[in-house]
Amino acid sequence: MEIVDTEILDEGVSVRTTWSDGRALRFHAIWLRDNALDPETRSPANGQKLVSLTDFPADLHIASASAEQDTMRVVFGPKSKAVTFPADWLLAHAYDSRAVAAQDGWLPDSIDVWDGALEENVPSASLTDLETHEDTLQTWLSAVRRYGVAKTTDGPIEEGALFRVANLFGYVRETNYGRHFDVRTEVNPVNLAYTGLGLQAHTDNPYRDPVPTLQILYCLENSATGGESLVVDGFRVAQRLRDEMPDGFAALSRHCARFEYAGSDGVRLRSRRPMIELAPDGELIAIRFNNRSAAPIVDVPFDDMKLYYEAYRRFSELVDDPDMALSFRLEPGESFIVDNTRVMHARKGYSGAGSRWLQGCYADKDGLLSTLATLEHSRMQSAP
């Protein structure tokens, strides 16, 4: 794609570019100067900016702009600073054509919502293959980004093996539970997760701010009857609530819930966040749902509380809908990872006969997304 013409607008406040396919895209002078790619503006070594907005003159404007094959050359006044922009870079970062989202709860193209129909196609890969083949790792990490859940198989049956999963992309996030935690029946447990009771699908640690954004659960023993793992796409639940009950969706996203944990000595964790979290432009970015850790809700006005609880109840019903859940039994040496800002996990109750021992740890999504972006960039650079 090439730029075939340029036109300076509003005495240099912006420039209109005309492209070979007929489209027109505008760029502001201050945006172009702030995002200039020259070595005086950005470090060639790491791409970080070497200047701030206050370094630019208040009367910054575009003095001239010209299309030169696959680039655009801009001269900024009043200091005659010249910068060249690749056409493909401008096209990739164009903001003039971005449509405003029409509905709260929208999601980017990199995310697909799902329900129980995904069960036969849960992304899965051998741990050894993930450690030795970059293509396999990239596909698996991309699946975690898209679906918020994936499995590993064929791992060693030894304590601490879950750290090999975390090491695929990032670092363990240590909490008051330790660098990792064991999920098995205990006497006088500090958390209901350490009993044989069934657990409603939930996100972990909603009482933290920020929450751990990834959770890994790795199976070491599973001879008990029952105890199957369940996962539910919280984004799909939220969108169903929005479609069925728009006012209720708005209530859960507009008002903050409260969460609290004080189950062990020296620990009292609290957070105040909505159950359905939206970005300012309406993008659905996070779910916090954990009835066991819910504190009294006091940030909802009296006149809205009835609607709020009606929406809370309907959200819970949708979470419990069997058609929404994926169910699978982890075998020793298998694990699964969930995006803890999106995918709720649960387990069915299990008997005292036999044993069930999972080890879990937390990690953060920025490491996973960074590793994925690095692999994608490397593949793009090596493409013919």
Side-chain angles (χ1 to χ4, degrees), residues 3-135:
I3 303 171
V4 297
D5 191 27
T6 62
E7 179 186 0
I8 296 174
L9 305 175
D10 302 324
E11 299 182 342
V13 171
S14 62
V15 60
R16 177 189 289 117
T17 59
T18 303
W19 295 73
S20 54
D21 66 350
R23 83 179 77 180
L25 298 173
R26 296 166 296 177
F27 299 90
H28 287 89
I30 187 62
W31 185 92
L32 289 167
R33 182 66 189 90
D34 185 39
N35 291 286
L37 304 173
D38 65 293
E40 295 177 2
T41 304
R42 287 186 179 273
S43 166
N46 56 38
Q48 293 188 314
K49 289 183 181 178
L50 303 174
V51 296
S52 66
L53 285 176
T54 54
D55 293 321
F56 308 145
D59 57 349
L60 177 82
H61 61 278
I62 298 173
S64 67
S66 58
E68 301 177 356
Q69 296 181 344
D70 57 353
T71 64
M72 179 176 73
R73 185 175 185 270
V74 176
V75 178
F76 296 98
K79 296 186 176 181
S80 298
K81 168 73 173 178
V83 178
T84 299
F85 295 90
D88 58 356
W89 186 92
L90 287 171
L91 194 60
H93 294 86
Y95 56 91
D96 190 19
S97 62
R98 293 186 184 272
V100 176
Q103 187 176 33
D104 281 353
W106 68 272
L107 291 166
D109 292 339
S110 59
I111 291 178
D112 287 342
V113 295
W114 48 266
D115 55 24
L118 183 68
E119 188 161 324
E120 299 300 320
N121 299 294
V122 178
S124 181
S126 159
L127 181 56
T128 301
D129 285 347
L130 290 169
E131 292 175 323
T132 56
H133 297 97
E134 285 191 349
D135 287 351

Side-chain angles (χ1 to χ4, degrees), residues 41-356:
T41 304
R42 287 186 179 273
S43 166
N46 56 38
Q48 293 188 314
K49 289 183 181 178
L50 303 174
V51 296
S52 66
L53 285 176
T54 54
D55 293 321
F56 308 145
D59 57 349
L60 177 82
H61 61 278
I62 298 173
S64 67
S66 58
E68 301 177 356
Q69 296 181 344
D70 57 353
T71 64
M72 179 176 73
R73 185 175 185 270
V74 176
V75 178
F76 296 98
K79 296 186 176 181
S80 298
K81 168 73 173 178
V83 178
T84 299
F85 295 90
D88 58 356
W89 186 92
L90 287 171
L91 194 60
H93 294 86
Y95 56 91
D96 190 19
S97 62
R98 293 186 184 272
V100 176
Q103 187 176 33
D104 281 353
W106 68 272
L107 291 166
D109 292 339
S110 59
I111 291 178
D112 287 342
V113 295
W114 48 266
D115 55 24
L118 183 68
E119 188 161 324
E120 299 300 320
N121 299 294
V122 178
S124 181
S126 159
L127 181 56
T128 301
D129 285 347
L130 290 169
E131 292 175 323
T132 56
H133 297 97
E134 285 191 349
D135 287 351
T136 303
L137 179 59
Q138 181 179 335
T139 299
W140 187 82
L141 294 175
S142 181
V144 177
R145 178 178 62 186
R146 182 163 297 280
Y147 301 109
V149 61
K151 292 176 62 179
T152 71
T153 60
D154 305 317
I157 305 171
E158 59 187 31
E159 292 193 49
L162 77 170
F163 298 135
R164 287 176 56 177
V165 181
N167 290 340
L168 292 169
F169 57 81
Y171 308 94
V172 171
R173 176 173 169 183
E174 188 166 353
T175 70
N176 58 292
Y177 298 118
R179 192 160 184 262
H180 78 281
F181 49 90
D182 293 286
V183 183
R184 55 184 172 185
T185 304
E186 294 182 0
V187 178
N188 298 321
V190 299
N191 193 303
L192 288 177
Y194 305 151
T195 72
L197 298 174
L199 298 175
Q200 185 185 34
H202 61 280
T203 59
D204 254 30
N205 291 204
Y207 38 75
R208 296 187 195 278
D209 203 356
V211 299
T213 47
L214 294 172
Q215 181 175 8
I216 299 164
L217 286 168
Y218 194 103
C219 181
L220 296 175
E221 297 179 14
N222 199 1
S223 59
T225 301
E228 289 84 357
S229 298
L230 302 171
V231 288
V232 176
D233 187 355
F235 284 176
R236 175 65 179 136
V237 171
Q239 289 187 338
R240 280 191 63 182
L241 180 69
R242 178 198 62 192
D243 296 343
E244 293 181 14
M245 192 179 181
D247 290 346
F249 176 89
L252 294 190
S253 60
R254 183 171 63 246
H255 299 300
C256 284
R258 296 200 179 213
F259 302 92
E260 181 175 295
Y261 174 78
S264 55
D265 292 340
V267 178
R268 187 168 291 274
L269 294 162
R270 294 170 175 163
S271 73
R272 176 181 176 272
R273 282 287 186 271
M275 292 188 195
I276 300 173
E277 187 171 355
L278 305 178
D281 63 358
E283 179 186 0
L284 178 54
I285 58 174
I287 298 296
R288 291 193 191 214
F289 183 81
N290 189 322
N291 186 63
R292 292 174 291 124
S293 300
I297 297 168
V298 297
D299 299 290
V300 179
F302 181 90
D303 290 342
D304 294 339
M305 189 64 82
K306 181 175 181 293
L307 170 63
Y308 186 94
Y309 262 90
E310 289 172 350
Y312 187 3
R313 179 185 181 87
R314 183 55 185 153
F315 192 96
S316 299
E317 291 172 344
L318 291 170
V319 169
D320 292 340
D321 182 347
D323 291 337
M324 295 294 291
L326 304 181
S327 174
F328 51 86
R329 180 181 177 85
L330 282 184
E331 299 299 336
E334 296 182 340
S335 77
F336 72 95
I337 184 172
V338 292
D339 178 344
N340 190 50
T341 67
R342 169 189 177 182
V343 174
M344 296 171 281
H345 65 284
R347 69 147 186 263
K348 296 180 181 179
Y350 60 97
S351 70
S355 61
R356 185 180 188 272

